[in-house]
């Protein structure tokens, strides 16, 4: 390969391509719904523009002052997960029978990690998330109850230091 | 066959059927080593666990993910999933990550669609040929659909499979199983001439007799796998360093650690990167422990 020759000047770094225009499709979109929390993405953009040494997410691991931003990011992430699941499966009763073994693991792992990082009870994070993303949603109570139940079950595992891979 | 087969960058897939064998670590470190040499690298996350963007501090919720890129009904261009490395080092600008996401799990339900195993190949073929110098694929720890997509995407003469292992029983078993799988099924994935780059040993603790024994035995184990040509076990073993676990949890580049904390690691990775650039070893030169 010619570029391996040390005499060849290095190419400029690649540029992030612009997003393509969405195409019309009769099929339902499967894009993750992550845009309901504009503060989170704007924060990330500001971090990139400011040349910050690391993102809010990384700083939150090492500096408690930015945990609020991390909370917003993670809340948006959890909301995106829940909304994606709902978009795909539509009805909570269907979800209970067909995917309840799958989606809560991802959601709950995220809540659990966030709880550990921020040293806050998982129930607070769940309540905050649902208040933010599912206000007025008729199924919010169902999700909240389900999530609390599962997180509580998982917290027992975390407390004992044992991994539960489901 | 892809239309730009002869000009597109080489593709490297890092595989092992066992989780925790160092696939993501290998991809991240080799991508970083390539970037330090001013090589433009695209790392493609094909694991729903989606750790790669996190390691590079690269996740961007305003862009799409590989889940949408590989969607059967409405596939989006891979360029829509590309994000920038967030590390605070100059070479970070040479690293891009096509971010993954847990929704990649949903692609597993589309295995019955026509051409499903070639979705990743099609997505990569659509990349501008001169955009990157190397494309690295980080697969999930399985022999399943996403891994098969990775293998099927290696349709160029310069493309390679790299098996990552740590010198412990289950990880070696996973590596052997993966090597056997690739050998037996590459023709079914339309890449009959696909070659192994080699076996990359990492997190080796030379204080442990067990690790030393496995490192010594591994060339023999992998010699019998690939019909016609043994899978070479690369002699550049990445040593275990406890502090480097923080490269994962803090999304930091390895160069940000003190030399004493990463002793021997960068040297091994640089040597492995030489092998990656030269597209693997022709034949095994020496055993990994120098015996």
């Amino acid at each position: 390969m010619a570029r391996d020759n040390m005499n060849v000047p290095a190419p400029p770094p690649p540029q992030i391509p612009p997003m393509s225009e969405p195409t019309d499709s009769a099929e339902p979109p499967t894009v993750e719904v992550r845009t309901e929390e504009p503060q989170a993405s704007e924060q990330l953009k500001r971090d990139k523009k400011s040349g910050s040494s690391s993102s809010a997410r990384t700083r939150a691991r090492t500096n408690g002052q930015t945990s609020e931003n991390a909370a917003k990011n993670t809340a948006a992430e959890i909301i995106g997960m829940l909304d994606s699941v709902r978009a795909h499966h539509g009805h909570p009763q269907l979800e209970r029978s067909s995917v309840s073994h799958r989606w809560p693991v991802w959601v709950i792992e995220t809540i659990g990690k966030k709880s550990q990082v921020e040293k806050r009870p998982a129930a607070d994070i769940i309540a905050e998330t649902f208040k933010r993303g599912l206000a007025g949603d008729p199924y919010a109570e169902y999700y909240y109850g389900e999530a609390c139940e599962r997180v509580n079950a998982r917290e027992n595992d975390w407390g004992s230091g044992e991994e539960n891979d489901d | 066959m892809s239309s730009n087969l002869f000009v597109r960058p080489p593709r490297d897939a890092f595989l092992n059927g066992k989780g925790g064998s160092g696939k993501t670590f290998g991809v991240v470190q080799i991508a970083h080593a390539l970037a330090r040499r001013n090589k433009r690298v695209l790392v493609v996350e094909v694991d729903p666990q989606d750790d790669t963007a996190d390691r590079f501090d690269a996740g961007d919720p305003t862009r799409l993910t590989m889940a949408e890129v590989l969607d059967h009904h409405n596939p989006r261009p891979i360029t829509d999933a590309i994000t920038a490395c967030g590390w605070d080092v100059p070479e970070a600008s040479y690293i891009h990550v096509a971010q993954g996401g847990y929704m990649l799990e949903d692609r597993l339900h589309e295995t019955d669609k026509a051409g499903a195993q070639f979705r990743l190949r099609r997505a990569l073929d659509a990349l501008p040929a001169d955009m990157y110098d190397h494309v690295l694929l980080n697969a999930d720890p399985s022999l399943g659909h996403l891994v098969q997509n990775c293998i099927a995407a290696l349709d160029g003469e310069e493309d390679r499979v790299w098996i990552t292992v740590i010198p412990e029983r289950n990880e070696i078993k996973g590596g052997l199983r993966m090597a056997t799988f690739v050998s037996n099924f590459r023709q079914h994935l339309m890449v009959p001439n696909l070659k192994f780059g080699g076996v990359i040993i990492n997190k080796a603790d030379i204080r442990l007799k067990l690790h030393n024994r496995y490192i010594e035995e591994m060339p023999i184990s992998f010699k019998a796998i690939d019909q016609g040509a043994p899978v070479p076990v690369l002699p550049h073993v990445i040593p275990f360093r406890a502090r480097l676990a923080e490269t994962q949890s803090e999304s930091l580049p390895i160069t940000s650690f003190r030399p004493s904390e990463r002793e021997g690691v960068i040297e091994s990775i640089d040597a492995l990167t030489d092998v990656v650039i030269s597209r693997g070893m022709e034949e095994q030169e020496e055993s990994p422990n120098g015996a």
Side-chain angles (χ1 to χ4, degrees):
Chain A
M1 288 177 291
R3 288 194 195 96
D4 291 335
N5 188 328
M6 295 299 285
N7 296 323
V8 177
Q15 300 298 309
I16 296 289
M19 294 283 281
S20 64
E21 290 296 320
T23 54
D24 292 331
S25 170
E27 299 291 340
T30 57
V31 177
E32 291 176 42
V33 183
R34 291 190 185 183
T35 54
E36 293 186 8
E37 183 52 77
Q39 298 96 322
S41 54
E42 284 169 9
Q43 178 64 44
L44 284 171
K45 281 183 192 168
R46 281 198 297 276
D47 282 348
K48 300 272 183 199
K49 278 184 184 170
S50 67
S52 163
S53 62
S54 57
S55 70
R57 181 180 50 187
T58 304
R59 282 202 307 277
R61 299 193 190 99
T62 54
N63 182 347
Q65 292 176 354
T66 55
S67 62
E68 188 180 341
N69 289 332
K72 286 177 185 173
N73 291 346
T74 311
E77 202 175 325
I78 295 167
I79 291 165
M81 291 175 183
L82 291 171
D83 284 352
S84 298
V85 170
R86 289 193 306 154
H88 272 258
H89 300 285
H91 194 279
Q93 292 306 317
L94 175 64
E95 205 170 283
R96 184 186 288 279
S97 62
S98 65
V99 297
S100 62
H101 71 283
R102 187 159 67 85
W103 72 260
V105 175
W106 297 93
V107 176
I108 287 163
E109 292 291 0
T110 305
I111 295 169
K113 283 175 189 168
K114 180 175 161 61
S115 168
Q116 288 177 329
V117 168
E118 298 180 10
K119 297 182 172 53
R120 288 201 293 150
D124 286 0
I125 295 164
I126 297 170
E128 174 191 276
T129 302
F130 280 83
K131 185 179 171 187
R132 220 179 255 280
L134 300 175
D137 187 307
Y139 299 130
E141 193 176 340
Y142 165 83
Y143 283 108
Y144 179 76
E146 175 94 358
C148 279
E149 188 180 311
R150 287 172 177 272
V151 167
N152 286 339
R154 301 278 293 187
E155 274 185 335
N156 293 332
D157 294 331
W158 296 325
S160 66
E162 292 174 6
E163 282 293 321
N164 183 349
D165 293 326
D166 272 2
Chain B
M1 286 289 186
S2 57
S3 58
N4 55 2
L5 185 63
F6 299 104
V7 294
R8 68 161 170 79
R11 299 169 187 167
D12 296 292
F14 294 75
L15 306 178
N16 189 315
K18 170 77 172 64
S21 61
K23 291 183 296 300
T24 306
F25 182 82
V27 167
V28 170
Q29 300 309 333
I30 288 175
H32 187 195
L34 288 166
R36 290 198 297 272
R37 302 177 190 200
N38 294 330
K39 303 291 184 191
R40 301 164 301 173
V41 186
L42 175 64
V43 177
V44 182
E45 177 63 286
V46 199
D47 183 351
Q49 175 74 11
D50 190 24
D51 289 332
T52 307
D54 205 37
R55 304 270 179 97
F56 283 115
D57 202 10
D60 184 344
T62 66
R63 296 183 73 85
L64 301 184
T65 73
M66 287 303 296
E68 288 84 44
V69 173
L70 300 181
D71 189 299
H72 173 77
H73 298 289
N74 186 22
R76 301 294 298 274
I78 193 170
T79 46
D80 284 358
I82 290 174
T83 63
C85 176
W87 289 346
D88 187 25
V89 291
E91 63 270 21
S93 61
Y94 281 81
I95 303 171
H96 282 175
V97 180
Q99 61 184 349
Y102 79 102
M103 295 286 280
L104 273 165
E105 289 276 0
D106 285 354
R107 301 290 79 81
L108 305 181
H109 301 291
E110 297 169 349
T111 53
D112 61 337
K113 307 296 182 190
Q117 286 157 326
F118 303 99
R119 286 182 280 187
L120 180 59
R121 183 196 291 190
R122 287 195 295 272
L124 291 171
D125 283 352
L127 266 177
D130 196 36
M131 193 167 173
Y132 298 102
D133 298 310
H134 288 269
V135 174
L136 310 185
L137 310 178
N138 187 41
D140 62 322
S142 77
L143 302 176
H145 183 61
L146 294 173
V147 168
Q148 291 175 35
N149 258 274
C150 286
I151 296 169
L154 305 176
D155 64 335
E157 197 174 322
E158 295 292 311
D159 299 343
R160 296 288 184 270
V161 168
W162 307 86
I163 306 286
T164 61
V165 297
I166 61 175
E168 292 183 6
R169 183 183 174 86
N170 290 349
E171 284 71 13
I172 295 171
K173 271 174 61 186
L176 288 166
R177 191 170 293 132
M178 178 60 74
T180 305
F181 180 81
V182 172
S183 286
N184 290 347
F185 292 99
R186 55 190 157 188
Q187 67 271 25
H188 300 310
L189 295 169
M190 308 301 285
V191 285
N193 300 316
L194 176 60
K195 295 185 179 69
F196 288 94
V199 178
I200 296 173
I201 304 173
N202 67 74
K203 295 182 185 172
D205 190 341
I206 57 170
R207 296 168 300 179
L208 300 176
K209 283 184 182 175
L210 181 73
H211 279 202
N212 283 313
R213 197 188 88 206
Y214 279 134
I215 289 170
E216 191 174 337
E217 291 174 354
M218 240 184 279
I220 302 167
S221 306
F222 279 92
K223 193 169 186 176
I225 291 296
D226 198 18
Q227 295 152 357
V231 182
V233 178
L234 305 182
H236 320 292
V237 176
I238 303 172
F240 171 77
R241 295 285 177 262
R243 277 273 285 156
L244 295 188
E246 293 179 23
T247 62
Q248 301 173 22
S249 60
E250 301 296 341
S251 306
L252 295 170
I254 196 168
T255 46
S256 67
F257 290 80
R258 288 197 298 270
S260 60
E261 295 168 336
R262 51 176 164 82
E263 184 185 358
V265 176
I266 288 186
E267 292 80 357
S268 295
I269 290 165
D270 277 338
L272 286 166
T273 304
D274 287 338
V275 179
V276 169
I277 288 173
S278 61
R279 314 313 297 150
M281 295 168 60
E282 284 300 319
E283 56 187 36
Q284 208 166 333
E285 293 168 351
E286 56 179 316
S287 65
N289 60 359

